[in-house]
Amino acid sequence: MHDKHDEIIYVGKAISLKNRVRQYFQSSRNKTAKIEKMVSRIARFEYIITDSELEALVLECNLIKEYRPKYNTMLKDDKAYPYIKVTMEETYPRILFSRTMKKDKNRYFGPYTSAGAVKDTIDLIHKLWKIRTCSRNLPKDIGKERPCLNYHIKQCSAPCQGYISREDYGKAVEQAVEFLNGHYGPVLSMLKKKMTDASDEMDFERAIEYRELLNSVKQVAQKQKITSQSMEDRDVIAMARDEEDAVVQVFFVRDGKLIGREHFHVSAATAEDDGQILGSFIKQFYAGTPFIPREIWTQQEFEEMELVSQWLGRRRGQNVKFVIPKKGQKERLVELAAKNALLVLSQDKEKIKREELRTIGAMNQIGQWLGLSGVRRIEAFDISNISGFESVGSMVVYEDGRPKRNDYRKFRIKTVQGPNDYASMEEVLTRRFEHGMEEKKELSGGEDEKMGSFTRFPDLIMMDGGRGQVNVALRVLEKLGLSSIAVCGMVKDDRHRTRGLYYQNVEIPIDRHSEGFKLITRIQDEAHRFAIEYHRSLRSKTQVRSVLDDIEGIGPARRKALMRRFKTLEAVRDASVEELSETEGMNRRAAESVYGFFHGTGNVPGAHTE
């Protein structure tokens, strides 16, 4: 479903689309307020035919993940879980921290919910079995370089020097893998024996080292709570909900041990029952995680459960079974997950409300001040330079009240000489929207399916200034045929604080204690910060260069003469044409060129005047 701005607001699928779509428009059907609002925004439908229900399910998941439609039941959290990776495809394997799990010859353990616990475990393995961490190509690079620091602090056996045979190194890796599989007994026995032997030999320093390692292993082992004797991988999923939101709790059980848990906030915008929320969550969650367990325990059945099981089985390469426990320990574990979800929902409700007030609520407030509806994307622009040297522009983007940093863009001013902010802003805006229009043409030609950051146009442009900057933006938009995009200026008082919004030739006062005002301040500060950081990075690359080098007719001799007489760049900028022409080696034309550079007039190639 598309709205009048051609934004995708809902993605759905059905065996009979006619029946599915008709339900939304039946007056006899009881519809929630959110569904009614969604229906009122529909401008057109787009449909895609697939060969099977399974293909439709995969496509639905992909489209929801790509476009995040407003009225779909959405998984708000986007977490990437850590894994421990054993590089078995290498001759001398390494044990590494990884955020992804790929289909390769390596072995993966996890996912874990705590990155800190993963790093602690890897550090412990290095101390126990002295597994290498370097990326050297072994055995090809054996003996080519000196051993690294890890060898000297006794955390690597230095296979890069041939200090350990390939067979012994392989045995160490096998023992580490057994440890990761949860077999702690042999390690604990080995460390106890070494600690006792060292103590008997009066080597108390070494005995203390083994004692510390022993305690570390015990800590890791204690984190693994036994939940089942069947040694299966499974996820336990349960939820709690109120009128608007839901929280889903997931317990991760690996090899029969509960290794962690995580909760997820779900926006249940158009969901009619718990099963619909649970089904939507499961499809989105497992579409984004590389590990799929053999069993998934849930509170209740949901629509298309058999189809989802088939899809997950195909992704896993083995059958995946959904289980709805009815009694005993299994049911109690699902109930425990549900209680945890309810606890999180009640604790986080106020926090979520505050965050929504700070973001979406603030966007709505700005829209109300300006008389605009549906303001979701705001773009703000700023110019940064020092006396016209290395002028740059910044574009920052806020969607639903949050910064969308992937869409930020930097512009190096190409056509404007000297400190002319209006002309620089005109160049930045023209380049931004011309680029976006070109991307849209390419998309309409079917060359690319993914929208670029320039392709999505804002609902509102916020200029850092008043009438002058707003008029520049309006002129660019009118020239490009984009007059439907709203533009306002952020007007500041004498103390450089925002006092109001300039919109449609009227300055609108705003409440300085409101969330809308705070959001405007964040947007303004972010645009300014982004421009200054870019300008600073360019200055650092050209810090030996003088601004005077950019002025036509000013070479090294005249530049030195100007600096000898006026001492500072500010004094050169403030000097009159007569004062400049009195400088040694300067004539009238060169003086006018310098004056024009700093004041946007005169003989300055490419200068823009207002």
Side-chain angles (χ1 to χ4, degrees):
M1 298 176 185
H2 293 251
D3 65 8
K4 64 181 180 180
H5 303 297
D6 211 31
E7 182 179 349
I8 296 173
I9 60 174
Y10 185 78
V11 172
K13 61 169 176 51
I15 296 175
S16 172
L17 281 178
K18 180 181 177 181
N19 293 340
R20 173 72 185 276
V21 172
R22 187 172 56 194
Q23 292 175 357
Y24 291 109
F25 296 91
Q26 289 175 339
S27 57
S28 61
R29 187 177 176 87
N30 292 327
K31 299 190 289 289
T32 64
K34 288 189 176 181
I35 291 180
E36 288 183 354
K37 188 173 181 181
M38 177 189 76
V39 171
S40 70
R41 289 187 60 187
I42 299 170
R44 71 180 181 92
F45 293 94
E46 178 183 356
Y47 62 91
I48 301 170
I49 298 172
T50 63
D51 287 330
S52 68
E53 285 187 74
L54 187 59
E55 285 183 15
L57 175 69
V58 174
L59 180 59
E60 181 190 39
C61 290
N62 291 341
L63 291 175
I64 289 174
K65 188 175 181 182
E66 175 68 23
Y67 295 106
R68 301 191 67 80
K70 182 176 181 179
Y71 291 100
N72 276 94
T73 298
M74 289 301 303
L75 171 59
K76 293 182 180 180
D77 306 80
D78 187 18
K79 300 181 173 79
Y81 293 100
Y83 292 82
I84 294 178
K85 173 181 176 181
V86 184
T87 59
M88 302 302 293
E89 58 186 9
E90 295 180 331
T91 307
Y92 290 85
R94 294 172 292 160
I95 297 177
L96 308 171
F97 179 98
S98 176
R99 284 283 182 186
T100 58
M101 187 173 84
K102 300 177 181 178
K103 290 185 177 180
D104 51 27
K105 295 179 181 178
N106 300 316
R107 288 196 64 178
Y108 294 86
F109 296 86
Y112 300 93
T113 56
S114 169
V118 171
K119 291 173 182 175
D120 289 344
T121 302
I122 292 174
D123 287 343
L124 177 60
I125 287 171
H126 289 151
K127 291 175 182 176
L128 287 171
W129 290 284
K130 300 179 173 51
I131 306 298
R132 74 185 183 106
T133 60
C134 66
S135 56
R136 295 175 185 176
N137 186 359
L138 304 181
K140 181 181 177 182
D141 293 339
I142 288 180
K144 288 187 177 180
E145 296 180 37
R146 290 183 297 175
C148 64
L149 179 63
N150 283 346
Y151 168 73
H152 296 289
I153 61 174
K154 299 180 181 179
Q155 289 193 19
C156 179
S157 53
C160 60
Q161 301 300 308
Y163 293 167
I164 183 172
S165 68
R166 181 176 172 180
E167 290 74 20
D168 289 343
Y169 187 89
K171 288 178 183 177
V173 172
E174 286 176 11
Q175 291 172 5
V177 168
E178 284 295 301
F179 176 78
L180 290 172
N181 277 321
H183 300 148
Y184 307 116
V187 180
L188 291 170
S189 300
M190 177 263 292
L191 289 174
K192 283 179 183 176
K193 185 176 186 305
K194 287 189 174 182
M195 180 180 69
T196 304
D197 291 345
S199 179
D200 291 343
E201 295 170 7
M202 309 293 284
D203 190 349
F204 298 116
E205 187 174 336
R206 196 156 55 94
I208 290 173
E209 287 181 12
Y210 289 129
R211 186 191 67 188
E212 294 301 319
L213 286 173
L214 189 64
N215 290 334
S216 297
V217 173
K218 286 179 180 178
Q219 285 180 359
V220 171
Q222 285 170 0
K223 291 178 182 177
Q224 310 294 317
K225 299 175 183 177
I226 296 292
T227 61
S228 171
Q229 300 299 323
S230 59
M231 302 302 285
E232 288 283 356
D233 291 339
R234 64 173 58 91
D235 289 346
V236 181
I237 301 176
M239 59 163 282
R241 69 174 295 195
D242 57 18
E243 297 79 13
E244 297 179 354
D245 295 300
V247 169
V248 179
Q249 182 85 197
V250 184
F251 287 169
F252 303 103
V253 179
R254 301 293 179 262
D255 289 329
K257 300 178 180 66
L258 178 65
I259 66 164
R261 63 175 186 173
E262 195 59 78
H263 67 267
F264 301 84
H265 290 282
V266 178
S267 173
T270 57
E272 296 180 358
D273 55 46
D274 292 357
Q276 193 174 352
I277 296 173
L278 208 58
S280 296
F281 167 80
I282 286 170
K283 287 187 281 188
Q284 291 179 60
F285 177 69
Y286 289 109
T289 181
F291 182 83
I292 299 170
R294 187 171 178 178
E295 283 188 2
I296 300 171
W297 294 0
T298 63
Q299 272 172 309
Q300 63 182 73
E301 293 185 6
F302 57 90
E303 190 180 356
E304 301 175 325
M305 193 161 72
E306 196 61 41
L307 183 63
V308 174
S309 175
Q310 184 184 348
W311 168 55
L312 295 180
R314 183 176 293 186
R315 288 197 61 214
R316 176 182 165 87
Q318 293 177 316
N319 290 337
V320 173
K321 183 170 69 171
F322 283 98
V323 178
I324 297 92
K326 299 295 183 184
K327 59 182 180 179
Q329 184 183 1
K330 293 180 179 180
E331 185 187 25
R332 286 196 295 274
L333 192 58
V334 174
E335 286 178 354
L336 181 62
K339 287 179 182 177
N340 277 270
L342 183 61
L343 182 65
V344 172
L345 182 65
S346 59
Q347 288 178 341
D348 287 4
K349 192 65 182 173
E350 286 303 315
K351 180 182 174 184
I352 292 168
K353 282 184 177 177
R354 287 196 302 271
E355 180 62 19
E356 286 188 350
L357 192 66
R358 180 176 172 271
T359 54
I360 297 174
M363 294 283 274
N364 292 337
Q365 199 168 39
I366 293 170
Q368 289 169 7
W369 290 335
L370 303 176
L372 300 171
S373 60
V375 177
R376 291 195 61 196
R377 182 181 173 101
I378 290 177
E379 292 181 5
F381 298 83
D382 194 20
I383 301 295
S384 179
N385 64 66
I386 295 180
S387 301
F389 174 59
E390 290 286 17
S391 289
V392 299
S394 70
M395 165 183 145
V396 299
V397 180
Y398 275 66
E399 281 193 1
D400 292 329
R402 295 181 177 87
K404 192 176 182 184
R405 293 187 172 85
N406 287 343
D407 283 3
Y408 284 16
R409 289 296 178 267
K410 307 168 185 173
F411 301 85
R412 195 167 183 172
I413 305 303
K414 299 177 180 178
T415 63
V416 181
Q417 299 288 332
N420 192 332
D421 284 357
Y422 287 169
S424 298
M425 185 61 74
E426 184 174 353
E427 179 191 325
V428 167
L429 291 169
T430 301
R431 285 166 57 188
R432 182 262 179 270
F433 287 104
E434 283 184 344
H435 193 158
M437 293 167 75
E438 284 296 320
E439 283 188 358
K440 284 196 173 186
K441 284 181 184 177
E442 292 176 6
L443 286 172
S444 64
E447 294 180 17
D448 190 359
E449 295 180 357
K450 189 171 183 180
M451 295 179 72
S453 60
F454 280 135
T455 313
R456 294 199 62 191
F457 286 173
D459 303 306
L460 175 65
I461 296 174
M462 303 192 81
M463 307 299 296
D464 188 20
R467 177 181 299 178
Q469 293 282 20
V470 170
N471 287 340
V472 169
L474 291 173
R475 188 165 64 243
V476 170
L477 294 174
E478 185 178 1
K479 180 176 65 177
L480 298 176
L482 300 172
S483 301
S484 61
I485 299 175
V487 182
C488 74
M490 297 176 281
V491 186
K492 298 176 182 174
D493 59 19
D494 296 336
R495 288 187 284 179
H496 209 66
R497 297 184 305 179
T498 302
R499 70 167 187 245
L501 296 176
Y502 181 81
Y503 181 62
Q504 294 183 340
N505 297 317
V506 176
E507 184 176 321
I508 302 169
I510 55 179
D511 179 6
R512 290 188 175 179
H513 301 288
S514 65
E515 291 296 337
F517 173 79
K518 293 174 185 176
L519 177 59
I520 291 169
T521 303
R522 291 197 296 273
I523 292 172
Q524 206 168 24
D525 292 345
E526 183 71 350
H528 193 54
R529 176 200 66 79
F530 195 53
I532 286 177
E533 283 187 0
Y534 181 40
H535 189 251
R536 189 179 293 133
S537 70
L538 292 180
R539 289 206 318 270
S540 66
K541 295 173 184 176
T542 55
Q543 54 190 317
V544 296
R545 177 185 174 87
S546 170
V547 174
L548 300 177
D549 291 334
D550 284 347
I551 305 176
E552 184 180 1
I554 303 300
R558 284 177 171 167
R559 184 189 70 204
K560 289 178 183 177
L562 285 168
M563 294 309 294
R564 267 199 306 269
R565 178 175 181 187
F566 294 101
K567 308 301 182 185
T568 66
L569 195 60
E570 287 72 20
V572 175
R573 180 189 61 201
D574 296 338
S576 65
V577 174
E578 288 70 22
E579 289 172 328
L580 292 167
S581 57
E582 291 172 1
T583 304
E584 180 185 353
M586 294 284 288
N587 55 29
R588 179 81 184 184
R589 184 175 179 180
E592 288 178 348
S593 186
V594 172
Y595 187 87
F597 178 86
F598 286 111
H599 298 278
T601 60
N603 303 322
V604 185
H608 290 236
T609 58
E610 294 292 320

